[in-house]
Structures are given as structure tokens and as C-alpha cells.
């Protein structure tokens, strides 16, 4: 190639921009060269070798230039080869473009030719369809009659024959459809309704499986076989699957629920017990029928016994949920449903029967009643029972109160004690409600137990209020009762009967402290009755104690004789009260009499005028103490409960001849009765009439000098209830036992 042309073919590189790195490299190279030259030519003797160094550098420069030229020449040859290949590729692309243009023209010509052949093609297709139709025409003419025949078979419950006929018609339809290229003929329009009629017949037969298994098992078997054959058939793409097997399973469930849990079969108010009893008999019989008669008619994968058990359970569960969403149940229905669902349904007579095999799979059943249902039923039962209990207890109380105004004494039992059926009625009402709930669950029993104790407490408060009204009306004269005290004594027997028998309301497993509020209410009722009795006694005794002490009292026992006679007459019916209430009442009566005696003694009505009167007063105290002790021993009070010995202690204080020794007696009195006060001691010293101011002060100081005595165990306050010096009729009333 000509060098000039060769130079022309070489591309000329445009001047590039200055590179900062190149400039820096040049500077470093120059610096290095200068450093080298200065080192070489630093000494003068080395300048002689300058020519040698110059020639050596010239050779090195030429070598580098040759190497650079070789690299550039190789690069230029590669560029030349690439340019040549690109030119060849351009020529090939242009040739392919021309060939494609020619092919496009040919295709356009062929499309026009094909359009001219389209009528001929349609004629060929029609000819083939007519040929196939002419071959199928005899069979197609018989389709309407075959459809009618198949419908007749369905109506006659000949389901297998009807299914065979339907399948033949469907196969003919598929063959015709394939032969005619997907063309649907009007003659096959009846196949869809026919298939649906057969499906409904199969579904109806399976839905009545319980009845057919007894009356016509062949029909049930035929229906199941039709569904199974349909499930095993390969469905063409153009036909939707009929899924008769699932329809049969749904029909089994729906038919079973319709028989036992249909809307017309739901129980009305008050009919729940009979409905549940009917289910108790019917459901096990249904499961037995399923296992013995229906399961052999169905394939094993139907799991008929399990299906029956779960369907009956689910239907019953939904039915009960619907029933609970209706009007609120009564107490009897709520109790019946709880007991039936928690015990009878799961018991050996039903789902817990040993005759049910593992195929029933009852362990996987959901609870018949949810926790919310149980809570709702228990709350309903408790609220209804509470209303009934309140009504019964109110009637019992009203009947008892109505007897208080009778003209005759209260009724007595064979032992002579006052008696009324009211306590037994009250406890029986509550105990029966608690006991019967143990048949259901512990939670219901706890609820009813709490309700019973609450209502018993309310009843006791109402009884207490009724006694207060009864006493108030009698004492005010608004309703004078001939046997007022006797009916109070009868009420005390009622309290004792309730107190001694309230433990029957304590079921097993309940904490013992649950009865504490009721026991406290019973104790309060006992104190109330005793107080009312003693109020009646004090009304009779206060006029007698108004003249005590006096000169007449010193000389004659007549005053205390009258007190004892009145007290004995008042207490003549105390024996009709059972122990220990009679002992409590006698102890309270004796204490009330002693307190009234002390109240009268502290009023300062009498001051002894000499040693003789002090001796008489001391003797009178001793005789009175003895007379009171004998009176209450005769009435049956145990001697250990007596309070009258306090009079003997006071006798020592009056009988002391040396007033300077009063401090010792006062200290002894304080040891026996820690609640005695300075006012009481002063009143007793005033009764002596011979105590000087200094002696009084010395005696009273002994109360403060000695150690404060601790109250005796079992001994109640006595002097603290005796006012000094002004008495008050109601201030001597108290509650509880003396000993």
C-alpha cells in the first residue's frame, strides 16, 4: 500500500485536554534527571566523560521511541481490521433487508390466495359436520324419548338405571360435540335439568337415610353408588363438576338435623324437660341405627358413625344456643338444662356409652355449652331461686308474726317446749336448694350456698325487726298481746333451732368461715330476744325497787319477797325454752335483778343512823343474796352463773366495825369487781353513815394505790352498768351471759 494512502487511513487523534497527572509526571522526571546530572557532574574530573553519557542517553531515547512506534502501529492495524469487518457486516445487513422485503411481498400474495380459498374451507367443514350428523341422526332422534325415559326412572326411584341412561346421553352429547366441532344441538337442552333432577333425587334419598335404612335400604345404596360413580368420573373441560358426593354428605347432615332439631321441634316455655328427655332416648337410638343400618350402606370413607355423632352434637349445640338467645329461662328449665348438658348428655346413657365405638370419635366434640352459657344459666338459676326463696321466707315470717297476736299460748312439742315449724321450713327451703345443686356442679352449689346464707341473714334481720315492732306495739298499748312473753320465749326457741341446725347449710368443700355472718346474726337475734324479755320483767320490778333501800326494807323481807314472787311468776314458762338458751335467759334475768338491786342501793335513799342499822343492812344483804340464790336455783340456773354473791361482798363493807379498815375492804372489792368506781364506793360509804372525810379519802385512795386488776376470764362488767347516784331505768339493760 502506498505510504501516503497508508497515512491517510491512519486516524488522526484529536488533541486531547492536558492531563494533570501527565504534567506532574513530567515535572517529577525532570527533577529526577536534574538530581542525577548534578550527582554525576558534581566533580570536575567527571566532565570528561560527558560525551559517553550523552551517547548512552541518545541510544536509550531511540530505543524508547522504537518501542512506542511499534505499539502504536499494532493498535492502528487492529483498528483497520475492525473497520473492515464493520463494512462487511453492513453489506450483509443490507442483503438481508432486501431478502426480507422480497419475502414480505410473497406473503402478501399468498394471503390474497388464501382468502379466495376460505369459502371452500367452510364448505369442507360443513360437509364433514353433515356427514357426522347423518351418521348420528338415528341416535339423536331417540334423545327426547331417552330423556323422558330417564325422568320416568328417576320418578320411580330407579336411580342406577336413570344414571346409566343419563351417562349414555351425555356420552352421545360429547361425541356429537366433538364431531361437530363444539356445536351444541338443541336436542340436548334437556340433559341439564335431567342431571339436576337426578342429583336432587339422590340428595333426597340420602337425606332420608335413617328412614330408608329401615324401609328401603336398596334405594339408599343406589343413591350412594350413583354419587360415588359420579365422583369417580372424569369431567370434560366444558362441563362443570356436579360434586354429588359432597351434596350427599350435606344431605345426610341436614336431614339428620331436620329430624331432631327442626324449628317446629324446639320446646316452648316449660317444655324443656320433656324435650331433653325425648332427646335422651332418641339420640342414642339414632347412633345405634347409624352404626347398624346406615354405615353398611355407605363407603367406609363416609365415616357414618362419626358423621352422625358430630352432626347430632353440632345440631344440638346450635339449637341450645338459639334457645338461650330467646326469652330468659325459669329456674326449673335452667337447672334441667345444666344438669342434662353436664351430666346426662356426657353420661353412660348417651355420649359416654360404652357401646359407642372409637369410630364415633366423641372425644373431639366441642363442649355442648360454652363457659358463657354455663355462667348465664347459673346466674339465671340463682336469681330465680333467690326470688322464690325471698317469697317463701317472707311468707314463713308473715305466718309466724300472725300467730303472735293469738289468744292462746304458742304451740308446744311432746316435751313441752315451745315449738313452731318455721325454723324447719326455713332451713328446709335453703338446704334443699343447696343440696339439689350438688347434682350439677360445685360452682353452682357455691353460688346457691352464698345466696342462701345471704337470704338467711336478711331473714334474721327481718325477724329481728318484726320482734322490735311486736314489742313496741305491745309496750305502747297499740296491740296488747295476752301472751307477749311466751311468744318471745318461743322466738328464742326458734333462734336456738336455727342456730343448732344452720350447719346443714354447709356443704362439703366450702370454707368453714362462710357461716360466720349468719352465726353473728343469730347471736344478735338471741341478744335482742333476751333484751325484750328483760324489758318486760323490769317494767314489773321497777316499782318494787323504787322503795329499796328503806327503813321498811331493813326490818322486813317483804320487799324482796314481792320481787321474788314477781320474778318467779314471770319466769314460770322459762322451762319451755330449750338449753342452752334457757340457761342464758335465766342468767340474764338473775343479773338484771341484781343490777336493779344495785341501782336502787346506790341511789342514797337510806343512810344508816348507827351500828344497829348497819348490822341490819348487812344482814338484809345476806338474806337477800340467799333468797335470790335459792330463787334462781329453783328456776334451774346453775350456781356458777349467779351474780347475787356480789351482795355478800357489799355486806362485808357495811358490816365492818372499824372504819379505818375500809381501805382493805375497798381493795378487796376492787379485786373481785375491777369495774367498780369511786362513785360506787362513795355511795356505799354514804349508806354506812359513819365515815368521816379523812376515812373516805383513805378508802378511795386505795382504789388508786393498788395495781389495776385484770378482769376475770368469763366475768362480765357489773358495776359499770350501775349509775351513781342518779339511776336510769334503761341503763341496767345488757346483753350476753354473766358467767
Amino acid at each position: 500500500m502506498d505510504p501516503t494512502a497508508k497515512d491517510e487511513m491512519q486516524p488522526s487523534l484529536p488533541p486531547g485536554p492536558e492531563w494533570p497527572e501527565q504534567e506532574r509526571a513530567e515535572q517529577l522526571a525532570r527533577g529526577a534527571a536534574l538530581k542525577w546530572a548534578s550527582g554525576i557532574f558534581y566533580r570536575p574530573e567527571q566532565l570528561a566523560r560527558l560525551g559517553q553519557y550523552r551517547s548512552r542517553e541518545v541510544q536509550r531515547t531511540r530505543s524508547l521511541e522504537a518501542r512506542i512506534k511499534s505499539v502504536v502501529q499494532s493498535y492502528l492495524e487492529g483498528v483497520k481490521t475492525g473497520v473492515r469487518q464493520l463494512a462487511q457486516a453492513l453489506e450483509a445487513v443490507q442483503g438481508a433487508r432486501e431478502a426480507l422485503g422480497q419475502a414480505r411481498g410473497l406473503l402478501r400474495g399468498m394471503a390474497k390466495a388464501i382468502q379466495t380459498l376460505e369459502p371452500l374451507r367452510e364448505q369442507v367443514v360443513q360437509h364433514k359436520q353433515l356427514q357426522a350428523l347423518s351418521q348420528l341422526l338415528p341416535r339423536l332422534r331417540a334423545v327426547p324419548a331417552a330423556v323422558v325415559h330417564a325422568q320416568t326412572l328417576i320418578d320411580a326411584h330407579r336411580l342406577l338405571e336413570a344414571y346409566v341412561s343419563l351417562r349414555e346421553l351425555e356420552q352421545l352429547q360429547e361425541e356429537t360435540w366433538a364431531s361437530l366441532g363444539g356445536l351444541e344441538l338443541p336436542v340436548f337442552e334437556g340433559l341439564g335439568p335431567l342431571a339436576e333432577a337426578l342429583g336432587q333425587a339422590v340428595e333426597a334419598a340420602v337425606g332420608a337415610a335413617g328412614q330408608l335404612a329401615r324401609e328401603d335400604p336398596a334405594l339408599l345404596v343406589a343413591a350412594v353408588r350413583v354419587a360415588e360413580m359420579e365422583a369417580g368420573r372424569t369431567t370434560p373441560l366444558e362441563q362443570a363438576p356436579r360434586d354429588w358426593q359432597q351434596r350427599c354428605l350435606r344431605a345426610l347432615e341436614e336431614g339428620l338435623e331436620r329430624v331432631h332439631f327442626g324449628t317446629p321441634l324446639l320446646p316452648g316455655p316449660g317444655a324443656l324437660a320433656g324435650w331433653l328427655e325425648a332427646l335422651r332416648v332418641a339420640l342414642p337410638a339414632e347412633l345405634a341405627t347409624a352404626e347398624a343400618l346406615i354405615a353398611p350402606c355407605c363407603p367406609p370413607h363416609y365415616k357414618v358413625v362419626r358423621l352422625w355423632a358430630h352432626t347430632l352434637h353440632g345440631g344440638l349445640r346450635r339449637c341450645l344456643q338459639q334457645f338461650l338467645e330467646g326469652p330468659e329461662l325459669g329456674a326449673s328449665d335452667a337447672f334441667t338444662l345444666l344438669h342434662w348438658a353436664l351430666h346426662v348428655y356426657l353420661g353412660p346413657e348417651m355420649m359416654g356409652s360404652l357401646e359407642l365405638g372409637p369410630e364415633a370419635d366423641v372425644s373431639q366434640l366441642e363442649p355442648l355449652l360454652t363457659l358463657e352459657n354455663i355462667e348465664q344459666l347459673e346466674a339465671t338459676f340463682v336469681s330465680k331461686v333467690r326470688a322464690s326463696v325471698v317469697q317463701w321466707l317472707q311468707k314463713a315470717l308473715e305466718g309466724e308474726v300472725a300467730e303472735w297476736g293469738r289468744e292462746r299460748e304458742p304451740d308446744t312439742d311432746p316435751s313441752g317446749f315451745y315449738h313452731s315449724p318455721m325454723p324447719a321450713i326455713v332451713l328446709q327451703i335453703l338446704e334443699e336448694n343447696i343440696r339439689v345443686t350438688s347434682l350439677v356442679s360445685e360452682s353452682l352449689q357455691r353460688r346457691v350456698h352464698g345466696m342462701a346464707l345471704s337470704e338467711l341473714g336478711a331473714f334474721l334481720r327481718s325477724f329481728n325487726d318484726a320482734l322490735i315492732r311486736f314489742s313496741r306495739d305491745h309496750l305502747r298499748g297499740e296491740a296488747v298481746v295476752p301472751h307477749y312473753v311466751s311468744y318471745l320465749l318461743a322466738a328464742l326457741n326458734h333462734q336456738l333451732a336455727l342456730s343448732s341446725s344452720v350447719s346443714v347449710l354447709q356443704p362439703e368443700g366450702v370454707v368453714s368461715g362462710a357461716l360466720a355472718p349468719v352465726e353473728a346474726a343469730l347471736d344478735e337475734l338471741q341478744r335482742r330476744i333476751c333484751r325484750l324479755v328483760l324489758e318486760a320483767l323490769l317494767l314489773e320490778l321497777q316499782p318494787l325497787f323504787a322503795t329499796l333501800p328503806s327503813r321498811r326494807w331493813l326490818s322486813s323481807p317483804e320487799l324482796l319477797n314481792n320481787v321474788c314472787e314477781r320474778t318467779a311468776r314471770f319466769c314460770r314458762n322459762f322451762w319451755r325454752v330449750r338449753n342452752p338458751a334457757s340457761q342464758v335467759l335465766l342468767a340474764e334475768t338473775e343479773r338484771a335483778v341484781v343490777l336493779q338491786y344495785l341501782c336502787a342501793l346506790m341511789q342514797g335513799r337510806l343512810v344508816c343512823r348507827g351500828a344497829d342499822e348497819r348490822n341490819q343492812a348487812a344482814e338484809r344483804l345476806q338474806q337477800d343474796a340467799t333468797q335470790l340464790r335459792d330463787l334462781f336455783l329453783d328456776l334451774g340456773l346453775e350456781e356458777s352463773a349467779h351474780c347475787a354473791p356480789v351482795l355478800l361482798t357489799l355486806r362485808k363493807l357495811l358490816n365492818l366495825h372499824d372504819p379505818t379498815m375500809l381501805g382493805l375492804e375497798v381493795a378487796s372489792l376492787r379485786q373481785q369487781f375491777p369495774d367498780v368506781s369511786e362513785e360506787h364506793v362513795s355511795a356505799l360509804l354514804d349508806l354506812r353513815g359513819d365515815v368521816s372525810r379523812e376515812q373516805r379519802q383513805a378508802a378511795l385512795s386505795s382504789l388508786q394505790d393498788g395495781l389495776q386488776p385484770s378482769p376475770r376470764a368469763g366475768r362480765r362488767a357489773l358495776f359499770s352498768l350501775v349509775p351513781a347516784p342518779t339511776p336510769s331505768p334503761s341503763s341496767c339493760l345488757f346483753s350476753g351471759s354473766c358467767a
Side-chain angles (χ1 to χ4, degrees):
M1 182 178 290
D2 183 43
T4 306
K6 189 175 181 180
D7 292 339
E8 291 177 354
M9 291 182 63
Q10 293 179 354
S12 60
L13 298 176
E18 292 287 341
W19 289 0
E21 293 81 0
Q22 182 180 0
E23 183 179 356
R24 184 181 177 186
E26 290 180 357
Q27 291 177 358
L28 292 175
R30 290 179 183 279
L34 289 174
K35 184 177 180 181
W36 175 81
S38 63
I40 293 298
F41 302 110
Y42 180 73
R43 290 178 296 179
E45 61 268 17
Q46 292 181 344
L47 293 175
R49 300 173 61 183
L50 181 61
Q52 297 178 2
Y53 287 119
R54 180 180 295 169
S55 62
R56 187 187 304 169
E57 292 301 322
V58 168
Q59 291 177 359
R60 183 182 297 176
T61 302
R62 289 177 179 175
S63 174
L64 290 174
E65 289 178 350
R67 290 170 62 185
I68 293 172
K69 184 176 181 181
S70 175
V71 171
V72 172
Q73 186 66 31
S74 175
Y75 172 74
L76 291 176
E77 288 179 357
V79 171
K80 175 183 175 182
T81 302
V83 170
R84 184 172 60 251
Q85 291 176 352
L86 288 174
Q88 292 174 357
L90 179 62
E91 292 177 357
V93 169
Q94 290 177 350
R97 180 183 297 174
E98 292 176 358
L100 289 175
Q102 294 174 1
R104 184 181 297 109
L106 292 175
L107 287 175
R108 289 176 180 174
M110 291 177 65
K112 294 179 181 179
I114 289 174
Q115 290 179 358
T116 59
L117 293 176
E118 187 65 29
L120 180 60
R121 178 183 296 172
E122 293 178 357
Q123 293 294 328
V124 171
V125 170
Q126 291 178 1
H127 177 72
K128 290 182 178 180
Q129 291 177 350
L130 290 174
Q131 184 180 7
L133 190 60
S134 63
Q135 294 176 357
L136 296 173
L137 187 60
R139 298 169 62 188
L140 293 176
R141 288 177 178 174
V143 168
V147 170
V148 173
H149 177 66
Q151 184 63 51
T152 304
L153 294 176
I154 293 173
D155 296 338
H157 302 298
R158 297 162 63 182
L159 301 183
L160 283 174
E161 298 178 33
Y163 182 72
V164 171
S165 178
L166 174 64
R167 287 299 301 130
E168 292 176 352
L169 291 173
E170 288 179 340
Q171 290 173 0
L172 177 60
Q173 182 185 25
E174 294 170 6
E175 184 180 349
T176 303
W177 185 86
S179 300
L180 299 182
L183 181 63
E184 292 287 349
L185 297 180
V187 72
F188 294 109
E189 291 179 353
L191 292 188
L194 181 64
E196 181 61 27
L198 180 57
Q200 291 178 359
V202 169
E203 187 175 357
V206 174
Q211 179 182 357
L212 291 180
R214 299 182 184 90
E215 301 175 357
D216 191 1
L219 178 57
L220 176 59
V221 172
V224 174
R225 287 186 61 188
V226 167
E228 288 301 304
M229 287 189 293
E230 180 62 24
R233 180 176 68 91
T234 302
T235 305
L237 296 177
E238 69 275 2
Q239 183 180 354
R242 289 193 275 259
D243 201 9
W244 284 356
Q245 188 182 68
Q246 293 300 320
R247 288 178 65 178
C248 285
L249 293 175
R250 286 196 300 270
L252 284 172
E253 297 176 358
E254 293 171 359
L256 193 57
E257 290 188 8
R258 184 170 56 252
V259 170
H260 295 285
F261 309 114
T263 302
L265 301 176
L266 291 180
L272 180 62
W275 183 68
L276 294 177
E277 177 61 22
L279 289 179
R280 185 190 66 79
V281 177
L283 297 189
E286 193 68 53
L287 289 174
T289 300
E291 185 175 7
L293 300 180
I294 301 176
C297 298
C298 300
H301 64 268
Y302 273 43
K303 299 180 179 179
V304 171
V305 179
R306 182 183 184 278
L307 176 67
W308 240 242
H310 285 246
T311 301
L312 290 173
H313 179 80
L316 178 58
R317 193 169 186 267
R318 286 189 295 273
C319 186
L320 292 180
Q321 294 292 334
Q322 179 183 354
F323 189 70
L324 291 176
E325 292 173 359
E328 188 178 32
L329 301 181
S332 177
D333 285 346
F335 177 84
T336 301
L337 182 53
L338 279 171
H339 180 262
W340 193 89
L342 298 179
H343 297 280
V344 176
Y345 182 71
L346 299 176
E349 295 182 358
M350 296 190 69
M351 291 303 182
S353 174
L354 297 177
E355 297 180 0
L356 278 178
E359 60 273 9
D361 197 16
V362 295
S363 61
Q364 301 299 321
L365 297 177
E366 294 180 324
L368 193 60
L369 295 177
T370 64
L371 294 178
E372 292 78 8
N373 296 146
I374 295 175
E375 173 72 20
Q376 174 188 350
L377 287 171
E378 288 186 355
T380 299
F381 177 76
V382 172
S383 65
K384 298 294 184 181
V385 170
R386 182 189 296 273
S388 299
V389 166
V390 169
Q391 184 178 3
W392 293 334
L393 295 182
Q394 183 63 29
K395 288 182 178 179
L397 180 59
E398 291 174 355
E400 182 65 24
V401 171
E403 293 185 355
W404 292 347
R406 296 190 303 180
E407 296 293 334
R408 58 186 179 88
E409 289 190 352
D411 297 333
T412 58
D413 61 10
S415 300
F417 298 110
Y418 288 139
H419 172 75
S420 170
M422 184 195 70
I425 292 174
V426 170
L427 291 176
Q428 182 181 4
I429 290 172
L430 300 178
E431 191 271 334
E432 285 183 354
N433 281 287
I434 295 174
R435 178 178 50 79
V436 75
T437 54
S438 64
L439 301 175
V440 176
S441 64
E442 292 184 2
S443 63
L444 181 61
Q445 188 178 35
R446 286 194 300 270
R447 282 172 174 250
V448 175
H449 177 255
M451 179 276 298
L453 295 184
S454 174
E455 293 305 322
L456 180 56
F459 171 79
L460 293 175
R461 290 190 294 272
S462 299
F463 192 33
N464 199 347
D465 295 341
L467 287 172
I468 293 174
R469 292 192 299 271
F470 174 60
S471 176
R472 180 191 60 200
D473 295 343
H474 173 74
L475 297 179
R476 290 180 180 178
E478 297 178 2
V480 178
V481 181
H483 302 284
Y484 170 71
V485 176
S486 298
Y487 280 102
L488 290 179
L489 299 179
L492 196 58
N493 270 345
H494 303 342
Q495 181 274 341
L496 181 62
L498 291 172
S499 181
S500 61
S501 302
V502 72
S503 59
V504 302
L505 302 182
Q506 183 80 359
E508 296 182 2
V510 179
V511 292
S512 57
L515 293 178
V518 174
E519 292 171 348
L522 287 168
D523 292 341
E524 176 61 27
L525 179 61
Q526 183 188 59
R527 288 192 293 270
R528 172 65 61 185
I529 297 172
C530 289
R531 185 180 182 91
L532 295 178
V533 172
L534 297 181
E535 283 180 352
L537 172 63
L538 294 179
L539 285 177
E540 297 187 18
L541 297 183
Q542 282 175 357
L544 301 178
F545 281 107
T547 59
L548 187 152
S550 62
R551 307 293 173 189
R552 180 184 173 191
W553 169 70
L554 289 175
S555 60
S556 173
E558 181 181 358
L559 291 178
L560 195 65
N561 288 340
N562 293 336
V563 170
C564 291
E565 289 176 3
R566 291 281 186 91
T567 304
R569 185 168 60 250
F570 186 87
C571 300
R572 68 182 182 275
N573 287 331
F574 279 17
W575 69 273
R576 295 187 181 275
V577 179
R578 291 182 178 274
N579 279 324
S582 62
Q583 284 296 311
V584 173
L585 186 58
L586 284 172
E588 295 296 327
T589 303
E590 191 261 355
R591 188 165 182 268
V593 173
V594 172
L595 279 173
Q596 285 297 313
Y597 194 102
L598 293 176
C599 286
L601 203 62
M602 299 292 175
Q603 300 310 308
R605 300 192 185 103
L606 176 66
V607 177
C608 295
R609 293 179 293 194
D612 292 339
E613 288 190 354
R614 283 193 296 275
N615 291 333
Q616 288 180 353
E619 290 299 324
R620 178 53 52 204
L621 287 177
Q622 182 176 7
Q623 293 176 9
D624 291 351
T626 302
Q627 192 171 358
L628 289 175
R629 180 179 65 85
D630 294 341
L631 168 65
F632 283 98
L633 285 176
D634 293 341
L635 291 175
L637 179 63
E638 297 176 0
E639 189 170 3
S640 60
H642 286 204
C643 295
V646 68
L647 301 182
L648 300 178
T649 304
L650 299 183
R651 170 187 174 276
K652 295 179 183 179
L653 192 63
L654 292 177
N655 202 29
L656 187 65
H657 296 288
D658 186 2
T660 60
M661 303 296 291
L662 286 173
L664 294 177
E665 292 297 333
V666 170
S668 176
L669 178 64
R670 181 67 177 275
Q671 287 297 323
Q672 296 183 51
F673 302 97
D675 60 331
V676 68
S677 65
E678 293 184 3
E679 290 78 5
H680 297 133
V681 175
S682 295
L684 293 173
L685 296 179
D686 290 340
L687 179 61
R688 281 182 60 93
D690 64 339
V691 181
S692 64
R693 183 185 299 272
E694 292 77 9
Q695 293 170 346
R696 178 188 300 271
Q697 190 65 32
L700 294 178
S701 63
S702 65
L703 291 176
Q704 303 174 355
D705 294 343
L707 295 176
Q708 180 70 23
S710 58
R712 292 188 183 180
R715 181 180 292 276
R716 291 177 48 213
L718 191 65
F719 280 94
S720 60
L721 299 177
V722 179
T726 303
S728 175
S730 61
S731 63
C732 298
L733 296 180
F734 45 87
S735 61
S737 61
C738 179

